[in-house]
């Protein structure tokens, strides 16, 4: 079940008495948690029937006291525990239930209470009796982190749900520059859509104009320049990066170059080089296959392996391992080694 499925059920008033939202990706946990907080009860009902607690500032007895109350002038009451990973959950010893009264409640929850735990930045221990009690009597949602290769598709889906379209090149650039922080990406997309008419396709120009990514000097253009062995353009871009280190941190540049050349290496391995199969194997849109074909012609299998080795070496150097941390100088050295 996805976060969207849970929200759909909540909209249809299909409630469970217990929810555990846990996992490494906070975005989907926040998505459901915010819906519970804002939409489950009317404004008139919230005053008497909604309790919001924070894990580090609460304890089991506070959660229990809130959960055991009956709703006033409403069918349900909501108890939302945010940052539940910071709460002390009590003993899991079956012979000492008195040490964990929360477990007793989870095994027999009040039907008129909707108790929601938002447990972020990690997985709840599935061996715990508390986990098993929630699983039996409520609903557990695990919010898994998305692989970097899945971010462009997620962006396209997010945009489509809002009634917009996005050019594949634009979604890839956003993914490269914003990383895999879905909350950050969604915030940038929301701001971007304020400047684009509904139904209109979001392009690279919209990205450049509204998100502050240089049109000519960005990681995407650096990859393209290196792919076609355009030394002049590659060095222009590196010089721009050196002058604007906050906009183009070396960790971002190295990470994206490693991803690019790892796909070039995969290209060399793949026997069936039809566009459809390459797109599947490389995890990219068919729109970008030509870029990897060009790079594979520029760098044979052995050179590609060497480049990946260079990228690992310079990643360590950028962190101060056996090297001064002059990031501009390191990038110039690296680009020279890639091209020669």
């Amino acid at each position: 079940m996805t976060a969207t499925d849970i929200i759909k059920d909540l909209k249809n008033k299909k409630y469970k008495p217990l929810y555990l939202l846990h996992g490494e990706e906070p975005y989907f946990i926040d998505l459901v948690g915010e819906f519970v907080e804002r939409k489950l009860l009317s404004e008139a009902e919230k005053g008497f029937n909604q309790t919001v607690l924070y894990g580090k500032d609460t304890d089991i007895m506070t959660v229990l006291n809130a959960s055991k109350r009956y709703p006033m002038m409403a069918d349900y009451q909501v108890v939302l525990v945010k940052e539940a990973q910071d709460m002390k959950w009590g003993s899991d010893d079956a012979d000492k239930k008195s040490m964990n009264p929360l477990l007793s409640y989870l095994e027999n929850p009040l039907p008129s209470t909707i108790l929601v735990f938002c447990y972020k930045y990690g997985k709840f221990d599935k061996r715990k009796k508390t986990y098993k009690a929630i699983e039996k009597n409520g609903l557990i949602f695990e919010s898994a982190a998305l692989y970097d290769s899945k971010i462009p598709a997620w962006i396209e889906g997010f945009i489509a749900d809002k009634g917009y379209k996005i050019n594949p090149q634009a979604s890839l650039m956003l993914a490269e520059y914003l990383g895999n922080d879905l909350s950050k990406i969604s915030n940038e997309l929301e701001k971007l859509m304020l400047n684009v008419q509904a139904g209109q396709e979001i392009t690279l120009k919209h990205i450049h104009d509204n998100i502050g990514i240089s049109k000519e000097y960005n990681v995407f253009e650096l990859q393209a320049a290196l792919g076609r062995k355009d030394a002049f353009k590659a060095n222009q871009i590196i010089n721009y990066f050196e002058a604007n280190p906050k906009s183009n941190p070396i960790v971002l540049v190295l990470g994206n170059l490693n991803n690019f050349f790892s796909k070039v290496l995969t290209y060399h391995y793949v026997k069936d080089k039809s566009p459809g199969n390459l797109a599947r194997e490389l995890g990219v849109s068919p729109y970008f296959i030509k870029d990897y074909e060009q790079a594979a012609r520029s760098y044979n299998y052995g050179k590609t392996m060497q480049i990946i080795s260079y990228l690992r070496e310079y990643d360590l150097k950028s962190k101060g391992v056996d090297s001064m941390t002059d990031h501009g100088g390191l990038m110039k050295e690296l680009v020279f080694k890639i091209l020669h």
Side-chain angles (χ1 to χ4, degrees), residues 140-186:
I140 295 179
F141 167 67
E142 182 178 330
S143 182
L146 292 184
Y147 290 111
D148 289 349
S149 61
K150 302 293 184 184
I151 300 297
W154 183 85
I155 290 173
E156 291 166 14
F158 183 94
I159 289 288
D161 287 344
K162 304 287 185 177
Y164 292 79
K165 299 177 183 177
I166 187 166
N167 179 281
Q169 202 169 10
S171 65
L172 182 62
M173 177 172 282
L174 278 172
E176 288 183 341
Y177 266 84
L178 299 177
N180 59 4
D181 184 336
L182 299 186
S183 296
K184 181 180 179 181
I185 294 172
S186 64

Side-chain angles (χ1 to χ4, degrees), residues 302-318:
K303 180 62 177 179
T304 305
M305 287 288 290
Q306 187 181 51
I307 290 170
I308 291 172
S309 178
Y310 287 150
L311 288 165
R312 291 172 180 167
E313 174 190 347
Y314 278 79
D315 178 58
L316 291 174
K317 286 184 175 182
S318 73

Side-chain angles (χ1 to χ4, degrees), residues 26-204:
Y27 174 80
F28 298 112
I29 296 172
D30 288 337
L31 198 66
V32 177
E34 286 175 10
F35 184 88
V36 168
E37 183 175 6
R38 295 179 183 180
K39 301 292 187 180
L40 225 58
L41 299 178
S42 69
E43 291 302 320
E45 292 172 331
K46 285 179 184 178
F48 291 108
N49 298 293
Q50 180 160 292
T51 304
V52 179
L53 304 168
Y54 289 83
K56 67 179 180 180
D57 299 324
T58 195
D59 55 34
I60 287 174
M61 293 313 300
T62 302
V63 174
L64 278 178
N65 288 337
S67 300
K68 288 181 176 180
R69 290 199 300 261
Y70 286 93
M72 294 181 63
M73 297 177 287
D75 294 327
Y76 296 94
Q77 70 144 342
V78 171
V79 179
L80 178 63
V81 185
K82 297 184 175 183
E83 310 295 339
Q85 71 277 5
D86 296 328
M87 187 179 77
K88 293 181 180 178
W89 287 73
S91 170
D92 199 49
D93 192 330
D95 296 327
K96 299 178 181 178
K97 279 192 179 180
S98 60
M99 295 177 63
N100 190 355
L102 178 61
L103 178 57
S104 297
Y105 177 82
L106 297 178
E107 290 177 342
N108 188 28
L110 202 64
S112 57
T113 294
I114 301 169
L115 173 57
V116 182
F117 295 103
C118 297
Y119 189 104
K120 301 196 292 187
Y121 310 115
K123 299 178 183 179
F124 196 94
D125 190 342
K126 296 181 181 180
R127 298 168 297 178
K128 295 280 188 181
K129 292 181 176 63
T130 44
Y131 181 95
K132 293 173 182 176
I134 298 173
E135 186 177 40
K136 179 181 178 182
N137 298 307
L139 185 147
I140 295 179
F141 167 67
E142 182 178 330
S143 182
L146 292 184
Y147 290 111
D148 289 349
S149 61
K150 302 293 184 184
I151 300 297
W154 183 85
I155 290 173
E156 291 166 14
F158 183 94
I159 289 288
D161 287 344
K162 304 287 185 177
Y164 292 79
K165 299 177 183 177
I166 187 166
N167 179 281
Q169 202 169 10
S171 65
L172 182 62
M173 177 172 282
L174 278 172
E176 288 183 341
Y177 266 84
L178 299 177
N180 59 4
D181 184 336
L182 299 186
S183 296
K184 181 180 179 181
I185 294 172
S186 64
N187 287 337
E188 291 293 343
L189 290 174
E190 293 286 1
K191 289 188 287 184
L192 178 61
M193 286 183 287
L194 293 175
N195 296 294
V196 181
Q197 289 185 346
Q200 187 177 357
E201 183 177 66
I202 295 171
T203 65
L204 283 175

Side-chain angles (χ1 to χ4, degrees), residues 245-285:
K246 290 185 178 179
S247 300
N248 304 277
I250 193 169
V251 64
L252 181 149
V253 178
L254 292 175
N256 282 287
L257 289 180
N258 185 69
N259 185 49
F260 177 74
F261 282 103
S262 294
K263 285 182 168 62
V264 176
L265 185 64
T266 301
Y267 182 96
H268 284 298
Y269 272 116
V270 174
K271 292 181 180 179
D272 178 3
K273 288 186 167 52
S274 62
N277 187 61
L278 281 170
R280 284 190 296 274
E281 293 290 340
L282 272 59
V284 300
S285 165

